[in-house]
Amino acid sequence: MAAPHDAEFTREHGCSESDWLRWLPGAIHDRMWTLMRPGKARVTFAGGTLTLRWHGLPPRKVGQTLMPRLSVHYLFDGVSEAERVAFM
């Protein structure tokens, strides 16, 4: 499994796409970001970018509860390891 300081990795999040888009501005702090198309966004760093690509997964069933799941691919370009660690 890739570590959060790697330049590229994929994570599963327990949320819907609408949750993800609602939470994203708070998660990236004051950085500028652009929704490039459905399922893809780019976050701007001082020296580079973070491209996020996501898609829904089948929900996870826990007892009688269905939990939404989202697969999110992170690709940092031109962002130092120190910046990646601090961001993640």
Side-chain angles (χ1 to χ4, degrees), residues 30-51:
D30 295 330
R31 292 181 178 82
M32 297 293 298
W33 70 286
T34 304
L35 184 62
M36 302 177 72
R37 61 175 169 76
K40 185 176 180 180
R42 182 156 295 139
V43 180
T44 304
F45 283 75
T49 60
L50 164 61
T51 300

Side-chain angles (χ1 to χ4, degrees), residues 1-63:
M1 177 189 244
H5 55 79
D6 290 344
E8 185 172 7
F9 57 93
T10 301
R11 292 284 185 268
E12 181 182 304
H13 296 281
C15 64
S16 67
E17 183 174 18
S18 62
D19 292 333
W20 173 255
L21 289 171
R22 193 174 62 249
W23 298 339
L24 188 57
I28 62 173
H29 309 289
D30 295 330
R31 292 181 178 82
M32 297 293 298
W33 70 286
T34 304
L35 184 62
M36 302 177 72
R37 61 175 169 76
K40 185 176 180 180
R42 182 156 295 139
V43 180
T44 304
F45 283 75
T49 60
L50 164 61
T51 300
L52 299 164
R53 288 181 293 137
W54 62 88
H55 64 274
L57 297 170
R60 176 162 289 138
K61 187 171 182 175
V62 180

